[in-house]
Amino acid sequence: MRQILFLALVLELVCCTTNTDPATAGYWVGRLKDEATRKEALQQIGKIADKTVVPDVLPYLETDNPMQPDAAYTLGQLGDASVTDKLIAAFDFSVGAGTDKYSRFKNRLNLNCARALALLKSQEAAEPLIRLATQGEDSTREGVIRALGVIKNSASVEALMQIAAADPQPYLRKISIQALGEIADAKAVPQLIKSLFVEVPGISFYNESSLALIQIGAKAVAPLIATLKRENKEIESIHLADGMPIAEGAIEGKAAFILGHLNAKEAEEPILAALIKNYKRFSEREKNPVFASVPGAVIELAYALGSLHSEKALPTLLNIFAESHPNVRSAAA
């Protein structure tokens, strides 16, 4: 009888110490031991973000096992910067862009380590991430470049500028431009201005570059004004993919768009001068036909002056308001 009572007491104690609440990390730590529930357990532990279970998750990163990439991301979600060195040590710089199972696994591990380090805002990760941003499989590179944008370490600006300027994958150039905007370092301004105008067949980087320059803010104003005034020699020398120069009015229109969004009061007079010049060209279109870029420039320049609340522009805008072209007239209005 005593033995039965003792066994019942032991079972009661075991039941009391077993975590049965799935809203707690402890519950899911118990399920890490089972291969069938390990993936879900790592996902749930990451969502709960209880730092006390880091020691329970770390072995799944440090040993070779199918859950390494999942464990890496979970550690980032837990938010404990003490694992930074472990995540960096897990990078494989030798893996290429292969499609075999091993290469795909290692690239996924690299990607999830990068994502985790971004969640931790790890400044120490900048150097290894820069290395990974220029090698390996493209989707992994994309994640690494995004991580650099999140971490915002200025040491990565040069590498990101090189990718933005010449990477063979246009979408990685776009992602790099976005990352440069997130970092908002003035060193990137010349490349971002260039990216406003450089194109590859069928692809423009204008949207990403204009937003990045707006994110950088006041430090982009002076170079943009020089570009608007046609004093930027690098931009003036650009030829597009078809060998043609930048379309007439496009330089002034694109620069003015950004300056208007930046509320750059010092740009008022050069924008107005560019508007007068381009509208004069447009108003003579019956004698000398113009490309659509010219009315496009007039529209952007007018809107920019509106953003600057430019009273000096009123006579010119009132003149343009008499224009028969509906879009140009609307912009003046």
Side-chain angles (χ1 to χ4, degrees), residues 107-281:
N107 275 305
R108 183 165 171 260
L109 177 58
N110 283 349
L111 173 59
N112 276 9
C113 285
R115 293 170 67 204
L117 289 162
L119 289 172
L120 295 172
K121 303 290 195 299
S122 170
Q123 298 303 304
E124 307 96 295
E127 189 278 330
L129 286 173
I130 290 167
R131 287 180 61 190
L132 284 175
T134 56
Q135 65 185 59
E137 188 264 337
D138 285 341
S139 63
T140 302
R141 291 181 63 208
E142 177 187 349
V144 170
I145 292 166
R146 290 188 188 279
L148 287 169
V150 172
I151 290 170
K152 302 185 192 324
N153 189 312
S154 291
S156 62
V157 169
E158 293 292 339
L160 290 170
M161 286 171 60
Q162 291 176 18
I163 297 170
D167 198 271
Q169 291 293 349
Y171 84 96
L172 291 180
R173 292 172 69 170
K174 287 175 177 277
I175 301 301
S176 294
I177 290 167
Q178 291 171 343
L180 288 168
E182 294 295 328
I183 297 168
D185 189 308
K187 292 197 299 287
V189 168
Q191 176 56 50
L192 291 172
I193 291 177
K194 188 175 180 181
S195 294
L196 292 171
F197 306 103
V198 171
E199 299 177 356
V200 296
I203 298 173
S204 166
F205 305 102
Y206 172 68
N207 289 337
E208 295 80 12
S209 302
S210 57
L211 176 57
L213 287 162
I214 291 167
Q215 288 174 298
I216 290 173
K219 292 180 180 179
V221 168
L224 282 165
I225 290 175
T227 302
L228 172 76
K229 293 167 69 175
R230 308 299 295 267
E231 296 171 356
N232 187 330
K233 293 181 180 179
E234 187 173 18
I235 300 306
E236 296 297 322
S237 67
I238 290 175
H239 284 75
L240 305 179
D242 58 5
M244 297 293 291
I246 297 169
E248 187 178 4
I251 292 176
E252 297 96 318
K254 289 183 177 183
F257 171 84
I258 302 165
L259 289 164
H261 277 275
L262 290 175
N263 197 28
K265 302 296 187 184
E266 59 268 54
E268 179 183 14
E269 290 191 5
I271 292 175
L272 179 54
L275 175 61
I276 293 169
K277 183 187 79 171
N278 278 276
Y279 182 63
K280 182 177 185 298
R281 178 78 177 87

Side-chain angles (χ1 to χ4, degrees), residues 47-95:
K47 291 177 183 177
I48 295 167
D50 180 350
K51 293 182 182 180
T52 63
V53 300
V54 166
D56 299 289
V57 176
L58 199 53
Y60 294 97
L61 171 70
E62 295 183 296
T63 59
D64 291 331
N65 71 93
M67 290 294 104
Q68 265 186 300
D70 299 84
Y73 187 66
T74 296
L75 288 166
Q77 290 177 299
L78 291 176
D80 187 341
S82 68
V83 303
T84 296
D85 290 344
K86 304 290 187 183
L87 288 164
I88 293 173
F91 281 137
D92 187 330
F93 296 101
S94 65
V95 64

